[in-house]
């Protein structure tokens, strides 16, 4: 018995030390592999259907380059978290996907990112070949930090043409048109506007546009620059008053906070004719195309957000996601190779591949290929809007640093459902962590 | 005889017991004194558990304590922030509310799940064939991932295309996730749907272990089914009720996935329970210091609750229900 106990003790101690050695060894290996071989650049992207194009471009790049690019994808929902945890460590990539604006501001502040000015000085095409309103989204403190690498996603007002025709309502060009349409549609028992309030960012889209139309892009720019008093300005209060009026008119029905866009709830309302409008990013088209191809073919309407009479914002202004960007880590060991890789982002091959999967690139040569798009009319319409847009307002939750997103989402939701009033909303926005 | 004394293996215990109940034990006979020299198990026996507990529970907990006194957004290294996080947290109305919400959800969960699972479990303890088949079906929700279950119920409860659109007399406009009370109701309902089978299983096993002689005696005394349930089954299930309640409380206080998928803490912050608030602070707002402080507060509250429960239920000196049987 005694010997057995001793044996066991030895086995246990041995086992524990073995396990610890293994664990340590595992740490060691992962550290090594993270540094990568001497001749590679690591490209980290948001994992989704668009990765097809990114893979293709990496392959093209690797055909001619000495330094090889390695593509790494992180499933969408975890992307921001994963990036934040690795970017300052040994496992940081050389090039990474982002949304420009506030999504990279903390990294710029931490001195992690490489300004692209030198690259642009050597190849001005890295700036000139992109639409300016989009390119500027990734300019922080006057320096360029990103190159557009996917499609633009402006927010548009989508509609069900059949529902509008049956109700005798024309596509609204002004805010008053919209309010009138809301009253007519409500009178006919139709939810005027579908809203995925459960996701909260769709609610935010209404704020972005109404603020832009009433006050122009300057108000939000001031806020981002740290002038919190702008939230108390008469323009801000006017915008909130208009939103209140819209909600109180029953524009969104009463149960919008239980509806989500992400589970297909709100697009289904539009497609099945239970609602007449939905304000949504341009991806609404491909979402509906997948689920309701017949509806898209015959009855889907789309247009710009209505103008506000007497407002300071140009009716041509857009809001949404300007594009996604590739930014570069300062400590990359192969800046030349990275510059060559970025140049592919305005190549014909890139444009064709993006159009092929339904994305709308924002390079100046895109216009020549629009006929090859999966839906040429829609692509041309959008491209025209983006090209002519005097300003492209980045979504609020992306213009602010990630830390502010939750508070913004809560504030817009609470304002819509009446849990807080204009003053409450203003003070919530004023207490956001500053950009 | 109390249960606590039974497993003692020390020499003296063995001796006394031998004296009390001679011939009843087949254990070490007097001739084998060497075998009883095992004595108390050495500390090495606890080493694997201790190492794992230290590595995966104590060390991370200490790191969280350190983190709660720092400012860190995941970039660079944490800076010492003194009591900042704690001061902000204790002034934060959302934090206080989140603790109440956690407790409320837990209490509601226990209050709803316990009766349902006792009834189901006792019913399923019968040996009829149809009961066996139905019990197997009732067990299914437990096999599904909580994420899948939440997604499923979101779809079923969709106000425009789900059940509420067909039953407006019950659900009104179907805005179930848009008000605090109904959103809490949905959360309680979904966890009940998922976890009742587990607790029913506990009660089924316990109910089957109730000696039949008790029921036979009661029948002779003229007690009906209802009386038998309240006077025999329920008292016999006492220990199972304690066990299952503790499991429910632990589960309730650490609920996270259902909130993440069903409500994301909304509307506003109306269903932001502590565990979700911690996630939001740390992994959405990248304020790891504040997240760590929330986590510690939750640990403290959960520790307090379990301490109170152990005292109140007598879990620490649990008595057998078989006394006198």
């Amino acid at each position: 018995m005694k010997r057995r106990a001793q044996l066991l003790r030895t086995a246990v101690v041995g086992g524990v030390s073995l396990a610890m050695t293994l664990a340590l060894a595992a740490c060691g290996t992962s550290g090594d592999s993270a540094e990568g071989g001497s001749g590679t650049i690591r490209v980290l992207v948001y994992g989704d259907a668009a990765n097809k194009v990114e893979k293709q471009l990496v392959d093209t790049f690797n055909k001619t380059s000495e330094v090889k690019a390695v593509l790494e994808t992180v499933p969408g929902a975890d992307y921001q978290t994963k990036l934040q945890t690795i970017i300052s460590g040994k496992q940081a990539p050389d090039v990474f996907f982002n949304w420009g604006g506030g999504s990279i501001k903390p990294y710029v502040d931490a001195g992690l990112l490489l300004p692209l000015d030198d690259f642009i000085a050597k190849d001005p095409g890295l700036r000139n070949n992109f639409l300016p309103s989009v390119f500027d989204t990734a300019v922080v403190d006057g320096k360029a930090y990103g190159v557009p690498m996917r499609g633009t996603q402006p927010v548009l007002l989508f509609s069900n043409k059949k529902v509008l025709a049956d109700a005798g309502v024309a596509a609204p060009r002004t805010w008053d048109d919209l309010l009138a349409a809301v009253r007519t549609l409500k009178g006919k028992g139709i939810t005027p506007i579908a809203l995925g309030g459960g996701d909260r960012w769709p609610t935010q889209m209404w704020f972005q546009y109404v603020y832009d139309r009433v006050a122009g892009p300057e108000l939000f720019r001031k806020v981002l620059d740290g002038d919190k008093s702008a939230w108390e300005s008469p323009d801000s209060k006017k915008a909130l008053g208009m939103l209140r009026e819209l909600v109180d008119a029953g524009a969104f029905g009463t149960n919008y906070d239980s509806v989500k866009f992400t589970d297909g709830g709100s697009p289904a309302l539009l497609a099945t004719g239970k609602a007449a409008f939905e304000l949504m990013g341009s991806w609404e088209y491909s979402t509906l195309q997948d689920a309701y191809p017949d509806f898209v073919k015959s009855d889907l309407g789309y247009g710009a957000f209505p103008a506000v009479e007497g407002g300071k914002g140009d009716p041509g202004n857009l809001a949404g996601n300007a594009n996604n960007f590739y930014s570069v880590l300062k400590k990359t060991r192969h800046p030349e190779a990275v510059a060559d890789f970025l140049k592919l982002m305005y190549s014909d091959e890139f444009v064709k591949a993006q159009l092929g999967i339904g994305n709308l690139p924002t390079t100046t040569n895109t216009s020549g290929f629009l006929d090859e798009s999966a839906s040429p009319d829609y692509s041309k319409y959008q491209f025209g809007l983006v090209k002519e847009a005097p300003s492209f307002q980045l979504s609020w939750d992306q213009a602010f640093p990630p830390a502010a997103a939750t508070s913004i989402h809560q504030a817009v939701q609470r304002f819509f459902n009446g849990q807080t009033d204009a003053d409450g909303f203003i003070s919530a926005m004023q207490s956001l962590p500053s950009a | 005889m109390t249960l606590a004394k039974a497993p003692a293996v020390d020499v003296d215990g063995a001796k006394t017991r031998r004296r009390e109940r001679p011939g009843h034990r087949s254990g070490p006979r007097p001739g084998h004194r060497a075998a009883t020299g095992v004595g108390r198990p050495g500390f090495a026996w606890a080493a694997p558990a201790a190492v794992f507990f230290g590595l995966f529970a104590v060390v991370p907990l200490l790191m969280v304590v350190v983190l709660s006194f720092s400012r860190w957004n995941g970039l660079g290294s944490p800076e010492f922030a003194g009591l900042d996080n704690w001061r902000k947290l204790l002034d934060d109305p959302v934090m206080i509310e989140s603790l109440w919400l956690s407790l409320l959800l837990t209490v509601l969960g226990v209050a709803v799940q316990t009766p349902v699972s006792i009834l189901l479990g006792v019913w399923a303890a019968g040996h009829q064939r149809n009961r066996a088949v139905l019990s197997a079906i009732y067990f299914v929700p437990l096999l599904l991932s909580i994420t899948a279950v939440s997604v499923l119920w979101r779809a079923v409860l969709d106000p425009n295309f789900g059940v509420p659109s067909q039953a407006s007399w019950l659900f009104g406009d179907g805005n179930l996730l848009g008000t605090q009370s109904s959103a809490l109701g949905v959360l309680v309902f979904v966890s009940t749907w998922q976890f009742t089978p587990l607790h029913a299983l506990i009660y089924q096993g316990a109910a089957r272990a109730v000696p039949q002689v008790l029921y036979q005696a009661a029948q002779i005394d003229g007690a009906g089914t209802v009386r038998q349930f309240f006077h025999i089954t329920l008292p016999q299930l006492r220990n199972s009720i304690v066990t299952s309640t503790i499991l429910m409380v632990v589960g309730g206080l650490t609920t996270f996935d259902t909130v993440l998928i069903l409500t994301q803490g909304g509307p506003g912050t109306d269903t932001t329970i502590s565990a979700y608030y911690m996630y939001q602070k740390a992994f959405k707002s990248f304020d790891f210091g504040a997240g760590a402080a929330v986590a510690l507060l939750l640990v403290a509250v959960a520790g307090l609750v379990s301490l109170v429960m152990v005292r109140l239920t007598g879990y620490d000196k649990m008595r057998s229900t078989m006394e006198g049987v």
Side-chain angles (χ1 to χ4, degrees), chain A residues 191-234:
Chain A
T191 306
I193 305 170
L195 176 65
D199 285 319
R200 305 197 271 199
W201 49 261
T203 311
Q204 174 191 264
M205 290 174 168
W206 284 94
F207 286 77
Q208 285 162 197
Y209 264 126
V210 173
Y211 265 83
D212 179 273
R213 293 290 187 265
V214 171
E218 290 74 23
L219 188 149
F220 194 73
R221 206 168 294 149
K222 269 192 211 161
V223 168
L224 271 189
D225 289 343
D227 177 9
K228 296 188 172 187
S229 69
W231 288 116
E232 294 165 28
S233 64

Side-chain angles (χ1 to χ4, degrees), chain A residues 238-310:
Chain A
K238 185 183 169 200
L240 290 175
M242 287 166 60
L243 286 165
R244 185 80 266 152
E245 189 186 358
L246 187 68
V247 175
D248 289 347
F252 305 101
T254 55
N255 57 22
Y256 48 85
D257 273 343
S258 300
V259 180
K260 275 191 173 186
F261 172 82
T262 44
D263 64 8
S266 61
L269 281 176
L270 183 71
T272 56
K274 291 190 182 207
F277 297 104
E278 179 169 28
L279 187 65
M280 187 44 64
S282 60
W283 56 84
E284 173 94 325
Y285 190 96
S286 49
T287 306
L288 288 168
Q289 180 79 49
D290 282 347
Y292 306 93
D294 293 340
F295 166 69
V296 171
K297 208 182 289 167
S298 53
D299 293 330
L300 177 66
Y302 44 84
F305 193 83
V308 170
E309 279 154 51

